[in-house]
Amino acid sequence: MINYKVNDQKLLVNCTPIYENIVDRSSADEKGLRDFILNEYKELKKKPSPYKSGGLRKGRSSYFETDLFKLNNPFIKEIEDVIYSEVQKYYNWLTELSFGSESFDIGIQAFYQVMEKGDWHMYHNHSSLTNTTFLSGCFYIDGGDAGKEFGGEFRPLLNPYMVQEGDENSIDITPTNNKIIIFPSYMYHEVSPYSGEKKRIVLAFNVYKER
């Protein structure tokens, strides 16, 4: 599999631009954000799940039930600012690659996922969530047990428009603390089974054009 390096970012051979960066959050209250999400997750696990498949919590959803960025919470506000800043960097990178640019207002909807041992996520994309969603991404608040030996890899497909299984048709990106990944919403991707003992906390988000 071939990757081209452009400004230290990955441009897949099929020209699907995937942005990957480690965010400096040394001044942030990282423990406060982790504790807030884990407390919400603890309450969510008490409720019956409406989801019947997908591999998350073996039938129990670990998703927050509303848009995180609508909450009036200082920990969420800090990470919201981080996500908006990184999305701007991604868009700037695209314009440098001569993809063209257009000025418009965006919104970002976010939710969390807490992965435990045995959790995974089937191939999917986010383009059908709203008709104006055009970028999606994930931010690893806590990478849990990080390393290829623990699985839970973010796995985008080389052909972003259709599911083709097999190692030759995808790449693996290993989660670590404060890593952000941004990609076009149409890109199919999965998360491989996670075998770590520590909980992995992920904030997923979708960028849409404001109407």
Side-chain angles (χ1 to χ4, degrees), residues 37 62-63 68 111-115 137-143 152 154 175 179 191 199-205:
I37 289 180
S62 53
Y63 288 129
L68 279 176
F111 53 95
Y112 72 76
Q113 179 191 354
V114 178
M115 294 194 73
C138 53
F139 181 87
Y140 294 94
I141 295 169
D142 191 329
F154 179 82
K179 176 176 283 189
V191 178
K199 290 183 175 67
R200 176 173 289 169
I201 305 174
V202 188
L203 186 145
F205 58 92

Side-chain angles (χ1 to χ4, degrees), residues 150-164:
F150 297 107
E153 307 274 73
F154 179 82
R155 183 173 292 161
L157 290 175
L158 295 180
N159 183 339
Y161 300 106
M162 61 184 297
V163 175
Q164 294 176 303

Side-chain angles (χ1 to χ4, degrees), residues 21-52:
N21 188 31
I22 303 294
V23 179
D24 180 8
R25 297 181 62 235
S26 55
S27 62
D29 186 351
E30 297 186 40
K31 183 178 184 302
L33 180 61
R34 284 196 300 270
D35 289 348
F36 170 76
I37 289 180
L38 288 176
N39 286 335
E40 292 290 340
Y41 175 60
K42 182 179 179 180
E43 293 302 312
L44 184 63
K45 286 179 68 176
K46 297 177 182 178
K47 302 177 182 180
S49 172
Y51 298 93
K52 304 301 182 184

Side-chain angles (χ1 to χ4, degrees), residues 5-187:
K5 286 287 188 178
V6 182
N7 294 344
D8 296 325
Q9 305 301 338
K10 291 181 179 178
L11 181 65
L12 298 187
V13 68
N14 62 357
C15 294
T16 298
I18 299 178
Y19 175 91
E20 181 183 354
N21 188 31
I22 303 294
V23 179
D24 180 8
R25 297 181 62 235
S26 55
S27 62
D29 186 351
E30 297 186 40
K31 183 178 184 302
L33 180 61
R34 284 196 300 270
D35 289 348
F36 170 76
I37 289 180
L38 288 176
N39 286 335
E40 292 290 340
Y41 175 60
K42 182 179 179 180
E43 293 302 312
L44 184 63
K45 286 179 68 176
K46 297 177 182 178
K47 302 177 182 180
S49 172
Y51 298 93
K52 304 301 182 184
S53 64
L56 290 171
R57 297 299 305 128
K58 306 174 182 65
R60 180 182 297 279
S61 171
S62 53
Y63 288 129
F64 193 75
E65 294 177 307
T66 187
D67 183 355
L68 279 176
F69 290 168
K70 293 186 182 299
L71 297 181
N72 184 18
N73 178 285
F75 306 126
I76 297 299
K77 177 59 180 173
E78 181 271 331
I79 201 65
E80 180 181 12
D81 291 342
V82 167
I83 299 300
Y84 269 89
S85 175
E86 292 297 311
V87 166
Q88 183 62 59
K89 292 177 185 177
Y90 176 90
Y91 195 70
N92 291 344
W93 176 51
L94 287 185
T95 60
E96 291 176 12
L97 295 176
S98 300
F99 278 67
S101 63
E102 178 187 353
S103 180
F104 53 84
D105 294 330
I106 66 168
I108 302 180
Q109 175 262 345
F111 53 95
Y112 72 76
Q113 179 191 354
V114 178
M115 294 194 73
E116 298 189 46
K117 187 174 182 178
D119 288 350
W120 55 280
H121 205 311
M122 66 175 61
Y123 279 117
H124 64 287
N125 68 18
H126 296 199
S127 61
S128 62
L129 294 178
T130 72
N131 59 11
T132 61
T133 297
F134 65 101
L135 296 177
S136 297
C138 53
F139 181 87
Y140 294 94
I141 295 169
D142 191 329
D145 287 318
K148 289 183 178 297
E149 66 271 27
F150 297 107
E153 307 274 73
F154 179 82
R155 183 173 292 161
L157 290 175
L158 295 180
N159 183 339
Y161 300 106
M162 61 184 297
V163 175
Q164 294 176 303
E165 297 186 1
D167 292 344
E168 71 278 9
N169 294 313
S170 63
I171 63 169
D172 284 351
I173 299 177
T174 302
T176 58
N177 286 4
N178 294 317
K179 176 176 283 189
I180 190 168
I181 304 169
I182 306 176
F183 51 90
S185 296
Y186 59 73
M187 188 189 75

